[in-house]
Amino acid sequence: ILNVEQSPQSLHVQEGDSTNFTCSFPSSNFYALHWYRWETAKSPEALFVMTLNGDEKKKGRISATLNTKEGYSYLYIKGSQPEDSATYLCAPTTSGTYKYIFGTGTRLKVLA
Amino acid sequence: DVKVTQSSRYLVKRTGEKVFLECVQDMDHENMFWYRQDPGLGLRLIYFSYDVKMKEKGDIPEGYSVSREKKERFSLILESASTNQTSMYLCASSFRSSRGRLKQETQYFGPGTRLLVL
């Protein structure tokens, strides 16, 4: 996996809005996809790891889906809150390697 | 809870200095990683260690070395710091799964060290 793209690069939403962002990756040799949330001045925090096509994971108001055939994952936040403000990183891995390849992230700012 | 700590949050060094960044994890993880993060780029792997005294180069090892003398501690060394090594450095650790499939194991990160080389 060489090209991992996350979009949008940044966005601002109002408190209470729902939002979603995308992680795109080459589908060949896919093994797993990790999502992290990175708040300013804190450590990146693991949200989800997904491996199977069609996987859906949920944690509170945050959920994620995975399409390994077309090479993308969506992260959804329902009813955004200011505490959701962070950079969201995705990191797919491929068969035969231990490496994560991180995207550049989506920077979310939730306005109160 | 997993805890990964890094020795400094902010560090200012001069060109040519030898710089040590220390990382300690308290969960008995086998694997430890050093990344750097620069604006507009994703986290990039510098070095990886899967056991004491074992190391593998990541994608950008040039100008860096590492040391893993104890399981819980992984040090990143800049032998002669240069201005292009100004960056945010993140350490991470993870379990090595029983079947050795490193890639599915979640990595746990430290808070990062922001290094400025003048």
mmCIF file with all atom_site columns, all heavy atoms in Angstrom, chain A residues 85-100:
data_model
loop_
_atom_site.group_PDB
_atom_site.id
_atom_site.type_symbol
_atom_site.label_atom_id
_atom_site.label_alt_id
_atom_site.label_comp_id
_atom_site.label_asym_id
_atom_site.label_entity_id
_atom_site.label_seq_id
_atom_site.pdbx_PDB_ins_code
_atom_site.Cartn_x
_atom_site.Cartn_y
_atom_site.Cartn_z
_atom_site.occupancy
_atom_site.B_iso_or_equiv
_atom_site.pdbx_formal_charge
_atom_site.auth_seq_id
_atom_site.auth_comp_id
_atom_site.auth_asym_id
_atom_site.auth_atom_id
_atom_site.pdbx_PDB_model_num
ATOM 1   N N   . SER A 1 85  ? -13.558 17.073  18.418 1.00 0.00 ? 85  SER A N   1
ATOM 2   C CA  . SER A 1 85  ? -12.541 17.802  17.651 1.00 0.00 ? 85  SER A CA  1
ATOM 3   C C   . SER A 1 85  ? -11.204 17.095  17.794 1.00 0.00 ? 85  SER A C   1
ATOM 4   O O   . SER A 1 85  ? -10.699 16.902  18.905 1.00 0.00 ? 85  SER A O   1
ATOM 5   C CB  . SER A 1 85  ? -12.427 19.246  18.154 1.00 0.00 ? 85  SER A CB  1
ATOM 6   O OG  . SER A 1 85  ? -13.644 19.935  17.946 1.00 0.00 ? 85  SER A OG  1
ATOM 7   N N   . ALA A 1 86  ? -10.645 16.704  16.682 1.00 0.00 ? 86  ALA A N   1
ATOM 8   C CA  . ALA A 1 86  ? -9.396  15.930  16.672 1.00 0.00 ? 86  ALA A CA  1
ATOM 9   C C   . ALA A 1 86  ? -9.001  15.689  15.222 1.00 0.00 ? 86  ALA A C   1
ATOM 10  O O   . ALA A 1 86  ? -9.755  16.013  14.296 1.00 0.00 ? 86  ALA A O   1
ATOM 11  C CB  . ALA A 1 86  ? -9.586  14.584  17.381 1.00 0.00 ? 86  ALA A CB  1
ATOM 12  N N   . THR A 1 87  ? -7.844  15.104  15.057 1.00 0.00 ? 87  THR A N   1
ATOM 13  C CA  . THR A 1 87  ? -7.453  14.586  13.746 1.00 0.00 ? 87  THR A CA  1
ATOM 14  C C   . THR A 1 87  ? -7.715  13.094  13.731 1.00 0.00 ? 87  THR A C   1
ATOM 15  O O   . THR A 1 87  ? -7.341  12.381  14.660 1.00 0.00 ? 87  THR A O   1
ATOM 16  C CB  . THR A 1 87  ? -5.965  14.870  13.467 1.00 0.00 ? 87  THR A CB  1
ATOM 17  O OG1 . THR A 1 87  ? -5.755  16.278  13.423 1.00 0.00 ? 87  THR A OG1 1
ATOM 18  C CG2 . THR A 1 87  ? -5.536  14.254  12.146 1.00 0.00 ? 87  THR A CG2 1
ATOM 19  N N   . TYR A 1 88  ? -8.388  12.633  12.697 1.00 0.00 ? 88  TYR A N   1
ATOM 20  C CA  . TYR A 1 88  ? -8.727  11.222  12.566 1.00 0.00 ? 88  TYR A CA  1
ATOM 21  C C   . TYR A 1 88  ? -7.820  10.603  11.509 1.00 0.00 ? 88  TYR A C   1
ATOM 22  O O   . TYR A 1 88  ? -7.781  11.050  10.364 1.00 0.00 ? 88  TYR A O   1
ATOM 23  C CB  . TYR A 1 88  ? -10.207 11.062  12.213 1.00 0.00 ? 88  TYR A CB  1
ATOM 24  C CG  . TYR A 1 88  ? -11.090 11.470  13.371 1.00 0.00 ? 88  TYR A CG  1
ATOM 25  C CD1 . TYR A 1 88  ? -11.405 12.812  13.587 1.00 0.00 ? 88  TYR A CD1 1
ATOM 26  C CD2 . TYR A 1 88  ? -11.555 10.533  14.288 1.00 0.00 ? 88  TYR A CD2 1
ATOM 27  C CE1 . TYR A 1 88  ? -12.171 13.204  14.672 1.00 0.00 ? 88  TYR A CE1 1
ATOM 28  C CE2 . TYR A 1 88  ? -12.334 10.907  15.380 1.00 0.00 ? 88  TYR A CE2 1
ATOM 29  C CZ  . TYR A 1 88  ? -12.627 12.249  15.561 1.00 0.00 ? 88  TYR A CZ  1
ATOM 30  O OH  . TYR A 1 88  ? -13.376 12.626  16.649 1.00 0.00 ? 88  TYR A OH  1
ATOM 31  N N   . LEU A 1 89  ? -7.093  9.580   11.922 1.00 0.00 ? 89  LEU A N   1
ATOM 32  C CA  . LEU A 1 89  ? -6.116  8.926   11.061 1.00 0.00 ? 89  LEU A CA  1
ATOM 33  C C   . LEU A 1 89  ? -6.578  7.529   10.705 1.00 0.00 ? 89  LEU A C   1
ATOM 34  O O   . LEU A 1 89  ? -7.119  6.821   11.552 1.00 0.00 ? 89  LEU A O   1
ATOM 35  C CB  . LEU A 1 89  ? -4.768  8.793   11.793 1.00 0.00 ? 89  LEU A CB  1
ATOM 36  C CG  . LEU A 1 89  ? -4.089  10.057  12.277 1.00 0.00 ? 89  LEU A CG  1
ATOM 37  C CD1 . LEU A 1 89  ? -2.891  9.700   13.156 1.00 0.00 ? 89  LEU A CD1 1
ATOM 38  C CD2 . LEU A 1 89  ? -3.620  10.889  11.105 1.00 0.00 ? 89  LEU A CD2 1
ATOM 39  N N   . CYS A 1 90  ? -6.343  7.150   9.458  1.00 0.00 ? 90  CYS A N   1
ATOM 40  C CA  . CYS A 1 90  ? -6.552  5.754   9.097  1.00 0.00 ? 90  CYS A CA  1
ATOM 41  C C   . CYS A 1 90  ? -5.217  5.142   8.714  1.00 0.00 ? 90  CYS A C   1
ATOM 42  O O   . CYS A 1 90  ? -4.304  5.852   8.262  1.00 0.00 ? 90  CYS A O   1
ATOM 43  C CB  . CYS A 1 90  ? -7.564  5.587   7.974  1.00 0.00 ? 90  CYS A CB  1
ATOM 44  S SG  . CYS A 1 90  ? -7.000  6.110   6.344  1.00 0.00 ? 90  CYS A SG  1
ATOM 45  N N   . ALA A 1 91  ? -5.101  3.841   8.920  1.00 0.00 ? 91  ALA A N   1
ATOM 46  C CA  . ALA A 1 91  ? -3.846  3.147   8.640  1.00 0.00 ? 91  ALA A CA  1
ATOM 47  C C   . ALA A 1 91  ? -4.158  1.733   8.180  1.00 0.00 ? 91  ALA A C   1
ATOM 48  O O   . ALA A 1 91  ? -4.439  0.859   9.003  1.00 0.00 ? 91  ALA A O   1
ATOM 49  C CB  . ALA A 1 91  ? -2.941  3.132   9.868  1.00 0.00 ? 91  ALA A CB  1
ATOM 50  N N   . PRO A 1 92  ? -4.122  1.492   6.859  1.00 0.00 ? 92  PRO A N   1
ATOM 51  C CA  . PRO A 1 92  ? -4.266  0.120   6.387  1.00 0.00 ? 92  PRO A CA  1
ATOM 52  C C   . PRO A 1 92  ? -2.949  -0.633  6.479  1.00 0.00 ? 92  PRO A C   1
ATOM 53  O O   . PRO A 1 92  ? -1.874  -0.034  6.529  1.00 0.00 ? 92  PRO A O   1
ATOM 54  C CB  . PRO A 1 92  ? -4.672  0.311   4.918  1.00 0.00 ? 92  PRO A CB  1
ATOM 55  C CG  . PRO A 1 92  ? -4.126  1.633   4.533  1.00 0.00 ? 92  PRO A CG  1
ATOM 56  C CD  . PRO A 1 92  ? -4.030  2.465   5.781  1.00 0.00 ? 92  PRO A CD  1
ATOM 57  N N   . THR A 1 93  ? -3.074  -1.946  6.532  1.00 0.00 ? 93  THR A N   1
ATOM 58  C CA  . THR A 1 93  ? -1.893  -2.797  6.466  1.00 0.00 ? 93  THR A CA  1
ATOM 59  C C   . THR A 1 93  ? -2.113  -3.834  5.382  1.00 0.00 ? 93  THR A C   1
ATOM 60  O O   . THR A 1 93  ? -3.244  -4.132  5.013  1.00 0.00 ? 93  THR A O   1
ATOM 61  C CB  . THR A 1 93  ? -1.613  -3.513  7.803  1.00 0.00 ? 93  THR A CB  1
ATOM 62  O OG1 . THR A 1 93  ? -2.722  -4.370  8.112  1.00 0.00 ? 93  THR A OG1 1
ATOM 63  C CG2 . THR A 1 93  ? -1.429  -2.527  8.930  1.00 0.00 ? 93  THR A CG2 1
ATOM 64  N N   . THR A 1 94  ? -1.008  -4.346  4.872  1.00 0.00 ? 94  THR A N   1
ATOM 65  C CA  . THR A 1 94  ? -1.105  -5.329  3.797  1.00 0.00 ? 94  THR A CA  1
ATOM 66  C C   . THR A 1 94  ? -0.580  -6.673  4.261  1.00 0.00 ? 94  THR A C   1
ATOM 67  O O   . THR A 1 94  ? 0.147   -6.762  5.254  1.00 0.00 ? 94  THR A O   1
ATOM 68  C CB  . THR A 1 94  ? -0.291  -4.904  2.571  1.00 0.00 ? 94  THR A CB  1
ATOM 69  O OG1 . THR A 1 94  ? 1.051   -4.622  2.995  1.00 0.00 ? 94  THR A OG1 1
ATOM 70  C CG2 . THR A 1 94  ? -0.873  -3.678  1.915  1.00 0.00 ? 94  THR A CG2 1
ATOM 71  N N   . SER A 1 95  ? -0.940  -7.679  3.523  1.00 0.00 ? 95  SER A N   1
ATOM 72  C CA  . SER A 1 95  ? -0.407  -9.013  3.791  1.00 0.00 ? 95  SER A CA  1
ATOM 73  C C   . SER A 1 95  ? 1.100   -8.992  3.637  1.00 0.00 ? 95  SER A C   1
ATOM 74  O O   . SER A 1 95  ? 1.633   -8.350  2.734  1.00 0.00 ? 95  SER A O   1
ATOM 75  C CB  . SER A 1 95  ? -0.991  -10.016 2.785  1.00 0.00 ? 95  SER A CB  1
ATOM 76  O OG  . SER A 1 95  ? -2.380  -10.006 2.813  1.00 0.00 ? 95  SER A OG  1
ATOM 77  N N   . GLY A 1 96  ? 1.764   -9.699  4.529  1.00 0.00 ? 96  GLY A N   1
ATOM 78  C CA  . GLY A 1 96  ? 3.202   -9.856  4.370  1.00 0.00 ? 96  GLY A CA  1
ATOM 79  C C   . GLY A 1 96  ? 4.044   -8.760  4.969  1.00 0.00 ? 96  GLY A C   1
ATOM 80  O O   . GLY A 1 96  ? 5.254   -8.744  4.806  1.00 0.00 ? 96  GLY A O   1
ATOM 81  N N   . THR A 1 97  ? 3.427   -7.809  5.651  1.00 0.00 ? 97  THR A N   1
ATOM 82  C CA  . THR A 1 97  ? 4.215   -6.751  6.276  1.00 0.00 ? 97  THR A CA  1
ATOM 83  C C   . THR A 1 97  ? 3.567   -6.336  7.581  1.00 0.00 ? 97  THR A C   1
ATOM 84  O O   . THR A 1 97  ? 2.354   -6.414  7.730  1.00 0.00 ? 97  THR A O   1
ATOM 85  C CB  . THR A 1 97  ? 4.381   -5.532  5.361  1.00 0.00 ? 97  THR A CB  1
ATOM 86  O OG1 . THR A 1 97  ? 5.102   -4.523  6.091  1.00 0.00 ? 97  THR A OG1 1
ATOM 87  C CG2 . THR A 1 97  ? 3.043   -4.954  4.949  1.00 0.00 ? 97  THR A CG2 1
ATOM 88  N N   . TYR A 1 98  ? 4.390   -5.897  8.514  1.00 0.00 ? 98  TYR A N   1
ATOM 89  C CA  . TYR A 1 98  ? 3.872   -5.433  9.791  1.00 0.00 ? 98  TYR A CA  1
ATOM 90  C C   . TYR A 1 98  ? 3.516   -3.958  9.755  1.00 0.00 ? 98  TYR A C   1
ATOM 91  O O   . TYR A 1 98  ? 2.964   -3.415  10.670 1.00 0.00 ? 98  TYR A O   1
ATOM 92  C CB  . TYR A 1 98  ? 4.932   -5.633  10.879 1.00 0.00 ? 98  TYR A CB  1
ATOM 93  C CG  . TYR A 1 98  ? 6.225   -4.949  10.543 1.00 0.00 ? 98  TYR A CG  1
ATOM 94  C CD1 . TYR A 1 98  ? 6.415   -3.595  10.798 1.00 0.00 ? 98  TYR A CD1 1
ATOM 95  C CD2 . TYR A 1 98  ? 7.249   -5.640  9.918  1.00 0.00 ? 98  TYR A CD2 1
ATOM 96  C CE1 . TYR A 1 98  ? 7.577   -2.964  10.457 1.00 0.00 ? 98  TYR A CE1 1
ATOM 97  C CE2 . TYR A 1 98  ? 8.426   -5.009  9.578  1.00 0.00 ? 98  TYR A CE2 1
ATOM 98  C CZ  . TYR A 1 98  ? 8.594   -3.682  9.852  1.00 0.00 ? 98  TYR A CZ  1
ATOM 99  O OH  . TYR A 1 98  ? 9.753   -3.055  9.512  1.00 0.00 ? 98  TYR A OH  1
ATOM 100 N N   . LYS A 1 99  ? 3.873   -3.297  8.665  1.00 0.00 ? 99  LYS A N   1
ATOM 101 C CA  . LYS A 1 99  ? 3.822   -1.835  8.680  1.00 0.00 ? 99  LYS A CA  1
ATOM 102 C C   . LYS A 1 99  ? 2.408   -1.298  8.541  1.00 0.00 ? 99  LYS A C   1
ATOM 103 O O   . LYS A 1 99  ? 1.618   -1.774  7.747  1.00 0.00 ? 99  LYS A O   1
ATOM 104 C CB  . LYS A 1 99  ? 4.667   -1.285  7.535  1.00 0.00 ? 99  LYS A CB  1
ATOM 105 C CG  . LYS A 1 99  ? 6.144   -1.526  7.664  1.00 0.00 ? 99  LYS A CG  1
ATOM 106 C CD  . LYS A 1 99  ? 6.876   -0.923  6.472  1.00 0.00 ? 99  LYS A CD  1
ATOM 107 C CE  . LYS A 1 99  ? 8.352   -1.248  6.523  1.00 0.00 ? 99  LYS A CE  1
ATOM 108 N NZ  . LYS A 1 99  ? 9.059   -0.701  5.355  1.00 0.00 ? 99  LYS A NZ  1
ATOM 109 N N   . TYR A 1 100 ? 2.146   -0.262  9.294  1.00 0.00 ? 100 TYR A N   1
ATOM 110 C CA  . TYR A 1 100 ? 0.986   0.569   9.043  1.00 0.00 ? 100 TYR A CA  1
ATOM 111 C C   . TYR A 1 100 ? 1.424   1.636   8.035  1.00 0.00 ? 100 TYR A C   1
ATOM 112 O O   . TYR A 1 100 ? 2.536   2.134   8.105  1.00 0.00 ? 100 TYR A O   1
ATOM 113 C CB  . TYR A 1 100 ? 0.555   1.323   10.294 1.00 0.00 ? 100 TYR A CB  1
ATOM 114 C CG  . TYR A 1 100 ? -0.095  0.543   11.395 1.00 0.00 ? 100 TYR A CG  1
ATOM 115 C CD1 . TYR A 1 100 ? -0.035  -0.829  11.497 1.00 0.00 ? 100 TYR A CD1 1
ATOM 116 C CD2 . TYR A 1 100 ? -0.787  1.236   12.400 1.00 0.00 ? 100 TYR A CD2 1
ATOM 117 C CE1 . TYR A 1 100 ? -0.635  -1.496  12.537 1.00 0.00 ? 100 TYR A CE1 1
ATOM 118 C CE2 . TYR A 1 100 ? -1.394  0.580   13.456 1.00 0.00 ? 100 TYR A CE2 1
ATOM 119 C CZ  . TYR A 1 100 ? -1.318  -0.785  13.522 1.00 0.00 ? 100 TYR A CZ  1
ATOM 120 O OH  . TYR A 1 100 ? -1.917  -1.446  14.560 1.00 0.00 ? 100 TYR A OH  1
#
